Amino acid sequence: LWKATLIEASIFREWIAGMGRRSALQRLAHLLCEIHFRAGLFNEPGEPTPALTQAELGDALGVTAVHVN
Protein backbone atom coordinates (compact mmCIF):
# COMPACT_ATOMS: atom_id res chain seq x y z
CA LEU A 1 0.00 0.00 0.00
CA TRP A 2 2.82 2.39 0.87
CA LYS A 3 4.61 1.69 -2.42
CA ALA A 4 1.44 2.40 -4.42
CA THR A 5 0.99 5.67 -2.53
CA LEU A 6 4.55 6.74 -3.34
CA ILE A 7 4.08 5.90 -7.03
CA GLU A 8 0.86 7.91 -7.22
CA ALA A 9 2.52 10.86 -5.44
CA SER A 10 5.36 10.75 -7.95
CA ILE A 11 2.93 10.79 -10.87
CA PHE A 12 1.07 13.71 -9.30
CA ARG A 13 4.30 15.71 -8.88
CA GLU A 14 5.20 15.03 -12.52
CA TRP A 15 1.82 16.32 -13.68
CA ILE A 16 2.01 19.47 -11.56
CA ALA A 17 5.50 20.27 -12.82
CA GLY A 18 4.56 19.41 -16.40
CA MET A 19 1.52 21.70 -16.46
CA GLY A 20 3.76 24.71 -15.91
CA ARG A 21 6.73 23.76 -18.06
CA ARG A 22 5.33 21.95 -21.09
CA SER A 23 3.60 23.40 -24.11
CA ALA A 24 0.08 22.22 -24.96
CA LEU A 25 1.46 19.87 -27.61
CA GLN A 26 3.95 18.34 -25.18
CA ARG A 27 1.25 17.91 -22.52
CA LEU A 28 -1.02 16.16 -25.02
CA ALA A 29 1.78 13.84 -26.12
CA HIS A 30 2.60 13.00 -22.50
CA LEU A 31 -1.06 12.31 -21.69
CA LEU A 32 -1.51 10.04 -24.72
CA CYS A 33 1.64 8.09 -23.86
CA GLU A 34 0.48 7.69 -20.26
CA ILE A 35 -2.99 6.53 -21.34
CA HIS A 36 -1.45 4.04 -23.76
CA PHE A 37 0.91 2.70 -21.09
CA ARG A 38 -1.76 2.41 -18.39
CA ALA A 39 -4.29 0.85 -20.77
CA GLY A 40 -1.70 -1.77 -21.65
CA LEU A 41 -1.40 -2.66 -17.98
CA PHE A 42 -5.12 -3.19 -17.47
CA ASN A 43 -6.57 -4.17 -20.86
CA GLU A 44 -6.34 -7.53 -22.53
CA PRO A 45 -4.19 -7.59 -25.68
CA GLY A 46 -6.17 -6.28 -28.64
CA GLU A 47 -8.75 -4.54 -26.47
CA PRO A 48 -9.26 -0.89 -27.51
CA THR A 49 -8.34 1.96 -25.22
CA PRO A 50 -11.17 4.18 -23.97
CA ALA A 51 -12.29 6.94 -26.34
CA LEU A 52 -11.89 10.53 -25.18
CA THR A 53 -13.43 13.64 -26.69
CA GLN A 54 -11.48 16.78 -27.49
CA ALA A 55 -13.34 18.57 -24.70
CA GLU A 56 -12.29 15.93 -22.16
CA LEU A 57 -8.68 16.08 -23.31
CA GLY A 58 -8.76 19.87 -23.15
CA ASP A 59 -10.13 19.80 -19.60
CA ALA A 60 -7.42 17.39 -18.51
CA LEU A 61 -4.68 19.52 -20.07
CA GLY A 62 -5.94 22.97 -19.17
CA VAL A 63 -6.51 24.07 -22.79
CA THR A 64 -9.56 24.53 -24.99
CA ALA A 65 -10.91 21.88 -27.35
CA VAL A 66 -9.76 24.09 -30.24
CA HIS A 67 -6.16 23.79 -29.05
CA VAL A 68 -6.51 20.02 -28.77
CA ASN A 69 -7.83 19.88 -32.33
Side-chain angles (χ1 to χ4, degrees):
L1 182 61
W2 183 246
K3 183 178 178 181
T5 302
L6 291 175
I7 291 170
E8 288 296 322
S10 174
I11 293 169
F12 177 73
R13 284 191 303 272
E14 177 68 25
W15 269 101
I16 293 298
M19 289 295 278
R21 291 184 308 193
R22 294 187 179 120
S23 68
L25 182 60
Q26 291 171 331
R27 286 184 282 190
L28 179 60
H30 183 262
L31 177 65
L32 293 176
C33 288
E34 189 168 330
I35 289 172
H36 178 73
F37 176 75
R38 287 183 180 216
L41 293 176
F42 300 110
N43 289 354
E44 295 295 324
E47 186 177 339
T49 57
L52 297 170
T53 65
Q54 289 178 355
E56 291 170 335
L57 288 172
D59 287 343
L61 299 172
V63 296
T64 65
V66 174
H67 287 91
V68 173
N69 187 15

